[in-house]
Amino acid sequence: MPQDYYTKNLVGLSVRLISVSLCAQADQRVLKDFMAEKLPRLASHFEDHNIDVSLVTFNWFLVVFVESLPSDILMPLWDAFLYEGTKVIFRYTLALFKYKEDDILKIHDSVEIYHYLRFFTKTVSNARKLTSIAFNDMNPFPSRLLRNRRVLHLERLQAELRELEEQHKEFITESVVRKDKELDVMVSEDDEDL
C-alpha cells in the first residue's frame, strides 16, 4: 500500500470513528474515475440512483478483500497484490463490478442496490472468469496513470481539508463571539434588575 495508507489522522466531516488517511480516501475517488472510464453504464446507473460505491469498496481497499471474497478467489488475488501492488485492488474491484454488472443494472431501487452490493461478492464463484476480467478486460491499466490520479485527488482532498479547517476556525470564533455577546446581555440585564 502507499506510504501513510493507514494513519492516525481523523479526517471525517461529522463522524470521526475510524482512522483514515487521505490516501485511502483519494483511492476511492480514483476508483470512481476508473469506473466512469471502464464501466460507464454501471457508473451512470450508480449516479442515477445516488449510489456511493465507496460505502462498499472502502473496506475492500483497507483490508484487501478479507471477509468479502471466498478464499479460493482471495488467495490468488493476494498473490497478485503482493506481486503488483495496489493496482491489483483496483483491477479486482472493477472486475467484481463487471462480473455482476448485468445483475446490478437490473436493480432500480437505491436501497435494493445497496443491499445487493453489501453481499454480491459472496456470490462470485468463478475465480478464472474474475481473474480474466481483472487482467484482460480492465487493460490497459498503467501504474503511472494510477499514481497521477492519486496525486491529483490527494491535492484536491488536502485543499478541501484546509477549507474545512478554515470554516471550523471561523465557526469557533463566531461561537465565542456569540457567547460573549450573550453573556454581556445577561450581565446588563442583571445590572438593570439591581
Side-chain angles (χ1 to χ4, degrees):
M1 298 305 254
Q3 185 178 11
D4 298 328
Y5 206 79
Y6 307 99
T7 68
K8 293 182 180 176
N9 294 336
L10 295 177
V11 189
L13 293 177
S14 60
V15 180
R16 295 175 180 253
L17 298 175
I18 56 175
S19 176
V20 180
S21 76
L22 288 174
C23 191
Q25 292 183 37
D27 278 353
Q28 293 305 301
R29 293 184 180 192
V30 172
L31 175 64
K32 287 179 185 177
D33 288 351
F34 285 140
M35 282 193 76
E37 292 170 18
K38 297 188 179 289
L39 301 169
R41 289 185 319 142
L42 193 58
S44 177
H45 185 69
F46 286 152
E47 190 173 313
D48 291 346
H49 294 286
N50 297 313
I51 301 299
D52 181 359
V53 295
S54 69
L55 295 175
V56 175
T57 59
F58 192 81
N59 189 56
W60 297 354
F61 278 67
L62 287 180
V63 298
V64 194
F65 296 98
V66 169
E67 296 182 8
S68 297
L69 291 171
S71 61
D72 62 319
I73 295 173
L74 185 62
M75 295 306 154
L77 184 153
W78 280 0
D79 285 343
F81 169 69
L82 292 171
Y83 183 72
E84 286 193 41
T86 57
K87 78 178 189 176
V88 169
I89 298 173
F90 287 93
R91 282 182 178 277
Y92 272 93
T93 298
L94 294 167
L96 283 164
F97 284 117
K98 178 69 175 171
Y99 190 101
K100 293 291 188 171
E101 182 176 28
D102 291 337
D103 294 342
I104 296 168
L105 290 173
K106 292 175 186 172
I107 306 170
H108 296 285
D109 177 69
S110 298
V111 174
E112 288 181 34
I113 293 171
Y114 274 119
H115 182 72
Y116 184 82
L117 293 179
R118 285 186 60 208
F119 302 107
F120 85 100
T121 57
K122 297 289 188 182
T123 66
V124 174
S125 58
N126 189 334
R128 284 194 174 135
K129 178 180 176 184
L130 183 65
T131 301
S132 175
I133 294 169
F135 288 96
N136 295 323
D137 296 3
M138 294 301 133
N139 279 333
F141 210 97
S143 294
R144 185 175 64 232
L145 178 61
L146 175 58
R147 281 191 307 271
N148 290 343
R149 295 245 175 113
R150 187 178 279 145
V151 167
L152 172 73
H153 285 293
L154 273 170
E155 289 171 356
R156 289 179 181 169
L157 278 165
Q158 289 167 341
E160 291 171 18
L161 184 59
R162 284 190 298 273
E163 184 179 329
L164 285 172
E165 288 171 348
E166 285 301 315
Q167 290 174 356
H168 183 257
K169 287 178 187 176
E170 289 174 20
F171 176 77
I172 296 297
T173 303
E174 290 172 7
S175 294
V176 169
V177 169
R178 190 173 39 248
K179 285 183 181 179
D180 285 346
K181 287 181 181 178
E182 289 173 2
L183 285 173
D184 288 344
V185 169
M186 289 174 59
V187 168
S188 65
E189 289 175 354
D190 287 345
D191 288 345
E192 289 176 7
D193 290 342
L194 292 174

